[in-house]
Amino acid sequence: AVAKTLGGRGFTPKNTIFAHSVCSDEVNNKDEQLVALMVNRWQEGFSLGGLAGFPFAGKSGFRAFLHHVPDEGKLLVMFAPHVGIDAEKVGALQRD
């Protein structure tokens, strides 16, 4: 749904740079998680760092990110904390 909507607005992997700032918890660094899926879809990802979804890149980090934007290109930034969801409730995550 995200790719279809953005595609309709002219976002393609060729003209878009994807950046992410999500909580750095290890549960967000697995292949089936949203960041990995988005990096796969947009063919690369620029990490803005972060804790609880707030980017820690600062002015220098954002400048570095902007230098990677294709000419006449688009920016796609995803930021979010993580929320544990298990079979019984939202707000908790059973760790192995």
Side-chain angles (χ1 to χ4, degrees):
V2 172
K4 184 177 179 181
T5 299
L6 291 174
R9 295 179 183 213
F11 287 74
T12 68
K14 194 170 207 155
N15 74 0
T16 303
I17 181 84
F18 168 66
H20 51 89
S21 176
V22 298
C23 185
S24 56
D25 194 286
E26 80 279 358
V27 299
N28 292 324
N29 294 313
K30 297 185 179 191
D31 290 342
E32 69 275 7
Q33 298 301 322
L34 186 56
V35 170
L37 295 173
M38 293 288 283
V39 167
N40 185 55
R41 170 63 180 94
W42 297 102
Q43 300 177 357
E44 63 182 312
F46 191 96
S47 177
L48 296 171
L51 187 60
F54 293 103
F56 286 172
K59 289 180 183 179
S60 296
F62 273 95
R63 258 190 229 105
F65 170 53
L66 293 174
H67 284 292
H68 292 270
V69 179
D71 291 339
E72 304 297 319
K74 299 179 180 286
L75 305 173
L76 176 58
V77 179
M78 179 182 75
F79 62 95
H82 75 273
V83 176
I85 300 173
D86 68 12
E88 298 176 16
K89 60 184 171 182
V90 174
L93 178 70
Q94 180 64 45
R95 297 180 188 272
D96 297 331

